[in-house]
């Protein structure tokens, strides 16, 4: 991810002359975007590889996000409008529409460029996805299997024009690749990797992960117990925390968090200290500015199990959205879980297990019901070790109440178990890149369900 500051001489953020001043409690920002996504896919069967033609899509949009300080409880404080285009006329149209929804005038910024000129530069098409797919297929070959690779790169140039402050510009790069290994029409193993910035993933490391997944897939299968404790390894704890901590702590006037009134209280195991860090180096979902034009910052969510903060719909909240079609909401970006200072606690917890321990390498789809806190997680890749050796569990689901999951965590691993996790999260503000850096985590006993989520989301 790279970012630059836009010269302040281009725009006059005061907005004098366009309309009347905003009331002091109103906060707003205009975001001009040029968004481009380039994709590629290919397959390899035996010695033959086939690369598809790929896809390239670009669009330019302008959106105005206004917060209404007079909105009451259970009312949305967001007034939002978006239009196509990235010139000064689009800025005025977006502000006018958002102000109409606000119910009073709001100042549009005065723009120096000619009305027809674009305020952001459209990114060039990116060849990286096709080159990455070709490289992946060239290095990943497994006898008796077909390999399918998909990759995409997204580049977004943004100009953020906050009310009464200097405009800022940012260019955000993200990418992802998915490897599927198939036998016939059946999916045998799959891995994925995602990144922010210009550094592509380590192909050799990705290949090693595929080999390990294939080895686990070939192990004898056993039935899933009705209750399990999950030993979350290989970064899979990030998916758990994303649901039971991140989504649980998203809080708005319309839908307050179930923990909104528990600040500074013990709401999780004392070993859980979790931050949301949107400026994590190369972390998936990293970015410098929120869609209200404020600097992103590290937010402490849990501190030794105490509730330290929420992801709130306030002026300095972590506002994000996939694109101009989606209304921005406070969303997490990259969660960081502090590792334990020594592994003794984890070793002791493993010896005191109250249910069969399954080693989880990968979680899949997840959901959190904000009404009662019920969380459901798909377990895609898990193993069980007993005297007879390694056994593979078929995909299944676990369910629990999110607050009980946080309190029921048994132990956290040391720094030597740290790994990253990345995914795209779906919510009302769209499909957003999110990530986490976590050590190994041992949960308390959880109830299992039959596999109900698709194995290939």
């Amino acid at each position: 991810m790279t970012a630059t500051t836009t010269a302040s001489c281009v725009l006059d953020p005061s907005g004098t002359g366009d309309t009347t001043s905003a009331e002091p409690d109103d906060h707003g920002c205009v975001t001009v975007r040029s968004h481009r996504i380039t994709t590629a896919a290919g397959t390899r069967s035996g010695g033959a590889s086939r690369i598809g033609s790929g896809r390239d899509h670009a669009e330019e949009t302008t959106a105005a996000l206004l917060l209404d300080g007079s909105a009451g409880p259970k009312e949305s404080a967001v007034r939002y409008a978006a239009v196509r285009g990235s010139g000064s006329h689009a800025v005025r149209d977006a502000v006018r529409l958002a102000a109409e929804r606000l119910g009073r005038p709001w100042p549009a910024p005065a723009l120096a460029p000619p009305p027809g000129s674009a305020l952001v530069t459209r990114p060039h098409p990116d060849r990286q996805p096709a080159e990455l797919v070709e490289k992946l297929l060239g290095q990943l070959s497994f006898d008796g299997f077909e390999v399918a690779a998909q990759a995409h790169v997204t580049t977004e140039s943004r100009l953020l024009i906050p009310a009464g402050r200097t405009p800022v510009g940012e260019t955000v790069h993200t990418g992802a690749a998915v490897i599927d290994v198939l036998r016939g029409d059946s999916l045998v193993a799959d891995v994925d990797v995602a990144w922010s910035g210009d550094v592509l993933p380590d192909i050799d490391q990705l290949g090693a992960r595929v080999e390990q997944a294939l080895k686990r897939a070939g192990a004898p299968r056993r039935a899933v117990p009705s209750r399990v404790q999950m030993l979350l390894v290989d970064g899979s704890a990030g998916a758990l925390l994303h649901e039971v901590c991140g989504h649980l702590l998203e809080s708005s006037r319309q839908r307050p968090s179930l923990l909104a009134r528990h600040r500074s209280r013990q709401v999780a195991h004392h070993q859980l200290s979790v931050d949301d860090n949107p400026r994590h180096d190369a972390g998936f979902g990293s970015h410098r500015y929120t869609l209200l034009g404020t600097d992103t910052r590290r937010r402490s969510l849990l501190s030794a199990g105490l509730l330290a903060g929420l992801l709130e719909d306030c002026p300095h909240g972590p506002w994000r959205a996939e694109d101009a079609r989606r209304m921005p909401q406070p969303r997490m970006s990259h969660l960081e879980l502090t590792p334990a200072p020594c592994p003794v606690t984890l070793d002791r917890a493993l010896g005191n297990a109250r249910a069969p321990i399954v080693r989880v390498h990968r979680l899949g789809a997840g959901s959190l019901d904000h009404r009662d806190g019920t969380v459901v997680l798909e377990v895609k890749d898990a193993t069980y070790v007993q005297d007879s050796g390694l056994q593979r569990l078929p995909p299944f689901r676990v369910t629990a109440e999110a607050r009980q999951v946080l309190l029921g965590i048994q132990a956290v691993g040391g720094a030597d178990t740290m790994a990253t996790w990345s995914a795209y999260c779906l919510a009302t503000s769209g499909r957003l890149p999110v990530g986490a850096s976590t050590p190994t985590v041992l949960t308390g006993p959880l109830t299992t369900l039959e596999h109900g989520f698709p194995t290939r989301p």
Side-chain angles (χ1 to χ4, degrees):
M1 178 190 67
T2 57
T4 56
T5 301
T6 303
S8 59
C9 61
V10 175
L11 304 172
D12 174 14
S14 66
T16 55
D18 276 35
T19 181
T20 59
S21 299
E23 294 188 13
D25 289 340
D26 292 338
H27 298 268
C29 183
V30 176
T31 304
V32 186
R33 292 178 165 188
S34 186
H35 178 275
R36 186 168 218 127
I37 179 169
T38 310
T39 67
T43 58
R44 179 187 178 106
S45 182
S49 296
R50 184 174 68 254
I51 309 294
S53 58
R55 183 173 66 91
D56 179 63
H57 175 72
E59 60 182 19
E60 295 175 354
T61 53
T62 299
L65 167 62
L66 313 180
L67 296 189
D68 185 357
S70 64
K74 297 187 179 181
E75 293 180 353
S76 175
V78 179
R79 308 292 178 255
Y80 182 73
V83 298
R84 291 187 177 276
S86 60
S88 55
H89 62 286
V91 172
R92 283 190 285 271
D93 286 346
V95 169
R96 176 181 55 80
L97 290 171
E100 288 176 358
R101 293 167 187 173
L102 182 67
R104 53 180 175 268
W106 192 82
L111 304 174
S117 63
L119 297 174
V120 289
T121 303
R122 175 177 288 192
H124 294 292
D126 203 322
R127 279 287 306 163
Q128 282 185 352
E131 294 164 355
L132 180 57
V133 166
E134 187 175 2
K135 190 173 182 180
L136 286 167
L137 295 178
Q139 295 192 23
L140 300 177
S141 178
F142 306 99
D143 292 339
F145 296 99
E146 181 180 282
V147 178
Q150 303 174 54
H152 76 260
V153 169
T154 299
T155 304
E156 185 176 77
S157 296
R158 298 177 183 172
L159 176 65
L160 298 117
I161 315 170
R165 298 195 304 279
T166 303
V168 290
E170 178 180 35
T171 300
V172 179
H173 303 276
T174 56
V178 178
I179 306 296
D180 291 342
V181 182
L182 305 100
R183 176 176 280 145
D185 294 328
S186 299
L187 179 67
V188 179
D190 61 335
V191 301
D192 55 51
V193 64
W195 63 93
S196 290
D198 299 312
V199 180
L200 291 176
D202 185 328
I203 301 299
D204 292 337
Q205 186 181 67
L206 194 59
R209 287 177 54 201
V210 176
E211 291 178 354
Q212 292 164 5
L214 278 174
K215 182 179 179 180
R216 292 191 297 270
R221 291 204 170 196
R222 66 153 289 167
V224 179
S226 60
R227 298 271 285 173
V228 298
Q229 286 183 241
M230 297 194 300
L231 182 64
L232 297 156
V233 300
D234 297 341
S236 59
L240 176 85
L241 285 181
H242 177 84
E243 296 293 342
V244 304
C245 179
H247 279 308
L248 186 63
L249 297 183
E250 291 173 340
S251 189
S252 66
R253 298 186 195 201
Q254 285 181 300
R255 193 189 64 196
S257 165
L258 292 173
L259 294 176
R261 297 183 179 180
H262 291 72
R263 287 182 187 270
S264 302
R265 296 183 189 176
Q266 194 80 33
V267 296
H269 187 274
H270 66 86
Q271 280 195 311
L272 292 185
S273 291
V274 180
D275 291 351
D276 182 54
N277 182 13
R279 295 200 176 200
H280 183 278
D281 291 342
F284 200 48
S286 298
H287 56 291
R288 287 186 57 184
Y289 302 104
T290 78
L291 291 185
L292 267 179
T294 59
D295 291 335
T296 56
R297 59 182 177 85
R298 177 188 290 270
R299 296 173 187 274
S300 177
L301 302 179
L302 299 178
S303 178
L306 300 176
L307 179 58
L310 299 168
L311 301 166
E312 298 179 278
D313 60 348
C314 59
H316 294 282
W319 294 92
R320 302 182 69 196
E322 177 185 358
D323 52 38
R325 297 171 299 173
R326 311 286 185 171
M327 183 180 293
Q329 298 287 344
R331 298 278 295 277
M332 71 197 94
S333 53
H334 192 94
L335 297 181
E336 295 178 345
L337 172 60
T338 304
C342 66
V344 174
T345 305
L346 179 58
D347 293 340
R348 186 181 301 119
L350 288 169
N352 295 329
R354 291 171 287 151
I357 295 176
V358 296
R359 191 177 181 89
V360 176
H361 300 270
R362 190 177 182 197
L363 292 174
S367 66
L368 174 75
D369 189 328
H370 290 271
R371 295 168 299 181
D372 60 11
T374 300
V375 65
V376 180
L377 291 166
E378 177 196 23
V379 181
K380 295 188 70 174
D381 185 353
T383 55
Y384 181 78
V385 179
Q386 57 181 193
D387 294 339
S388 59
L390 183 72
Q391 295 180 323
R392 171 74 182 269
L393 277 68
F396 62 98
R397 294 178 296 160
V398 294
T399 185
E401 203 280 329
R403 291 166 290 186
Q404 295 305 313
V405 174
L406 288 174
L407 288 167
I409 294 295
Q410 300 297 293
V412 172
D416 60 330
T417 67
M418 290 291 291
T420 59
W421 165 84
S422 55
Y424 284 97
C425 175
L426 301 176
T428 55
S429 53
R431 179 174 177 265
L432 287 173
V434 294
S437 300
T438 60
T440 294
V441 170
L442 178 65
T443 71
L446 302 173
T447 300
T448 65
L449 303 171
E450 290 185 3
H451 185 243
F453 291 126
T455 56
R456 299 176 68 182

